[in-house]
Amino acid sequence: MSESPKGKHRPATVGIHGRGHARRPGDPVVPPIVQSATFHWASPADGELLYSRCGNNPNQLEVSQKIAALEGTEAAVALASGMGATAMTFLALAQAGDHIVASSYIYGATLALLRDEFPRRGIETTFVNPGEEGAFRRALRTNTKLIHIELPTNPSLRFFDPRPVAALAKEVGIPLTCDATFASPVNFRGIEVGIDVVIHSATKYLGGHSDLIAGAVAGKADLIEEVTRLSRLYGPSLDPNTAWLLDRGIRSLDARMARHNTNAMELAEWFTTRPEVQQTIYPGLPSHPDHRVAAELMSGFGGMISIVLAGGGEAADRFMAGLKIACAAPSLGGVETLISQPRFTSHLSLSNGERDALGIPDGFVRISVGIEDVEDLRADFEGALESL
Ligand SMILES: Cc1ncc(COP(=O)(O)O)c(C=O)c1O
């Protein structure tokens, strides 16, 4: 967002103030945690029935509205996990007998949900390589109800241009959903390029401190209403205390993302100079296959770097064991640097051949660059590389 049209604030301000509040003397500056499952209510004359599973607890509403404001969508709903948000979105858009077209470059659990679980419920998915010209169009059927993509992709950090597939989805009148967890709404706002529904694992950058599990869906009000209705039935509602923690995390999102972006850029450039590193994958590097598109559509290249070590899986194990600051753990998007091997985590369910086809050979290490001092991080990585 380079300009701030009158009445519309930039992400740093929205992250702190949301859509703004009327202030009365004595109001708390920080919204209180309303840790209550239920609320006094006797009959419809008392207005809407409030119950925290229904998504209408004040903390749930506060953080959901803030996410909608950040994404620039009509509405949003924060749920109990990224997978809860993903599953509820798909179920809101597709029923038994329907078909989904999805990118093959998606988070492992989302892939498993579509490939292994949904067919048991009568929903089929065709996976396509988003880099292949015309692949989305060829996969469409008369009963296709949505197209799903992920940007940037996990863990190969591809940023396939979403505009052609957004135009295709519009042409055939179905929504394009996008998991934009790796970007965060600070670095990329899908709605601005024609994506209809944005999904986040709020466990990552939105929360930002690796201390909560949450998810979010942002889009048109009628879809969010349907996702909320399903969440009332399936039950992945966000606990009020976690909603409050998520809201607190989002207040520093913009500042954190700025530091993630610069730390990762600096480290990515440095990794390219190291002989132990066969390949450095970062959308901010001109060598990245999607650098041009990412530079055009993203406000920052993000905090995720992937490297492929020349010594393969064994070198990756030793590299990880040699780190003192960066912590070996799955997940990403927290203030601390985390490091993992997708062959043991998100892509464990795939065969070696399937991982190779996605550009994830043994020796592939994913780094979620935190906001520590970049010199300390560089020294940590240097020590671990030299131990190889
Ligand atoms: C891109 C992406 N989407 C979704 C998820 C699932 O999120 P959660 O763990 O909050 O359910 C993850 C988790 O790692 C992820 O990386």
Side-chain angles (χ1 to χ4, degrees), residues 81-83 107 150 154 179 181-182 201 203-204 214 332:
S81 71
M83 284 313 297
Y107 173 60
E150 193 171 299
N154 175 30
D179 182 332
T181 297
F182 273 43
S201 166
T203 311
K204 320 300 184 198
L332 63 124

Side-chain angles (χ1 to χ4, degrees), residues 57-289:
N57 174 294
N59 297 117
Q60 295 165 335
L61 292 172
E62 176 93 18
V63 75
S64 297
Q65 284 159 10
K66 189 176 273 188
I67 292 167
L70 279 171
E71 289 290 356
T73 55
E74 283 178 14
V77 60
L79 295 173
S81 71
M83 284 313 297
T86 303
M88 291 303 107
T89 303
F90 293 163
L91 289 175
L93 293 169
Q95 330 259 333
D98 289 340
H99 175 246
I100 294 173
V101 175
S103 162
S104 52
Y105 285 68
I106 51 174
Y107 173 60
T110 307
L111 186 90
L113 177 74
L114 292 169
R115 185 193 58 196
D116 307 332
E117 187 58 26
F118 274 15
R120 301 188 330 121
R121 303 178 194 280
I123 302 170
E124 270 187 59
T125 299
T126 303
F127 295 96
V128 303
N129 179 349
E132 206 181 294
E133 183 80 29
F136 284 106
R137 186 181 290 280
R138 280 194 299 280
L140 288 175
R141 297 184 194 159
T142 51
N143 60 342
T144 306
K145 288 296 176 349
L146 72 118
I147 303 177
H148 180 69
I149 59 171
E150 193 171 299
L151 290 174
T153 64
N154 175 30
S156 47
L157 309 178
R158 295 296 309 263
F159 198 95
F160 297 104
D161 193 340
R163 292 168 295 190
V165 62
L168 174 67
K170 284 231 156 32
E171 182 192 320
V172 297
I174 58 174
L176 174 64
T177 63
C178 176
D179 182 332
T181 297
F182 273 43
S184 90
V186 169
N187 281 342
F188 176 61
R189 289 157 305 281
I191 297 310
E192 293 172 4
V193 299
I195 289 164
D196 300 289
V197 185
V198 179
I199 301 169
H200 286 283
S201 166
T203 311
K204 320 300 184 198
Y205 288 110
L206 290 171
H209 295 76
S210 306
D211 56 5
L212 62 85
I213 298 281
V217 189
K220 287 230 156 61
D222 55 355
L223 171 75
I224 299 308
E225 228 170 83
E226 180 61 4
V227 169
T228 307
R229 187 187 73 80
L230 289 179
S231 302
R232 288 174 184 178
L233 302 180
Y234 286 86
S237 314
L238 188 58
D239 174 76
N241 184 57
T242 310
W244 184 91
L245 264 182
L246 176 58
D247 187 36
R248 186 175 72 169
I250 292 174
R251 279 178 226 150
S252 61
L253 176 68
D254 190 85
R256 285 186 284 107
M257 290 316 299
R259 177 74 159 244
H260 285 297
N261 290 340
T262 53
N263 273 6
M265 188 74 220
E266 214 167 299
L267 286 172
E269 281 171 345
W270 175 77
F271 277 125
T272 65
T273 67
R274 297 295 308 199
E276 305 88 344
V277 179
Q278 184 181 304
Q279 193 188 357
T280 305
I281 304 163
Y282 184 64
L285 294 175
S287 60
H288 188 281

